[in-house]
Amino acid sequence: MKKGLSVLIVCILALAFILGGCSKSEGKNASITSNWTLKEFTVNGKTVEYKDMDEETKKIAPAFSCTDGENCVVSNNGKDHPGKITQSDGQYIISFDDTDQALSGQISGDTLTLVNTKNTVTFVFVAN
């Protein structure tokens, strides 16, 4: 009886550690400074998923990085565009020195979605 109870307790504890280690906290958003990986992008209504890109296209695919919450780099077609981030009501606005276009962004869970001001380009990133 004692041995069976010990085995049961060990199994319950193991299950708790496994489930607790794999779960993400519900309702908590990733940080803008997370490590972001491209999931997909849409241009003029045509969506391309990262997993479907060939290796050469992946090298110049959109990318996003931010280490301090204020300065970021958005890369596209192999070119880096340094930007400044401001935040208002859970919405991020990214402005750039090299263009008058801006991106608005929102984080929902572990997903960052960036959209240009003309609503013709959308980048979707996932936090690792």
Side-chain angles (χ1 to χ4, degrees), residues 19-31 108-111:
L19 293 177
C22 293
S23 68
K24 292 184 179 181
S25 55
E26 293 294 321
K28 186 173 182 182
N29 289 337
S31 168
S108 178
D110 66 348
T111 303

Side-chain angles (χ1 to χ4, degrees), residues 30-36 64-71 92 107:
S31 168
I32 193 74
T33 59
S34 296
N35 184 19
W36 296 102
F64 175 84
S65 64
C66 177
T67 58
D68 63 4
E70 296 176 14
N71 300 288
Y92 296 96
I107 297 175

Side-chain angles (χ1 to χ4, degrees), residues 32-38 59-86 92-99 103 112 114 123 125:
I32 193 74
T33 59
S34 296
N35 184 19
W36 296 102
T37 301
L38 180 67
K59 291 177 185 176
I60 60 170
F64 175 84
S65 64
C66 177
T67 58
D68 63 4
E70 296 176 14
N71 300 288
C72 68
V73 176
V74 177
S75 302
N76 194 24
N77 289 325
K79 184 175 180 193
D80 290 345
H81 303 276
K84 294 282 186 192
I85 299 174
T86 56
Y92 296 96
I93 304 298
I94 304 171
S95 56
F96 303 94
D97 288 336
D98 62 350
T99 179
L103 293 175
L112 168 64
L114 300 176
F123 301 127
F125 299 94

Side-chain angles (χ1 to χ4, degrees), residues 38-43 46-50 53 57 61-62 76 121-124:
L38 180 67
K39 178 181 178 185
E40 65 185 33
F41 67 92
T42 303
V43 177
K46 181 177 173 58
T47 300
V48 177
E49 293 192 35
Y50 184 80
M53 293 179 197
T57 304
N76 194 24
V121 177
T122 302
F123 301 127
V124 178

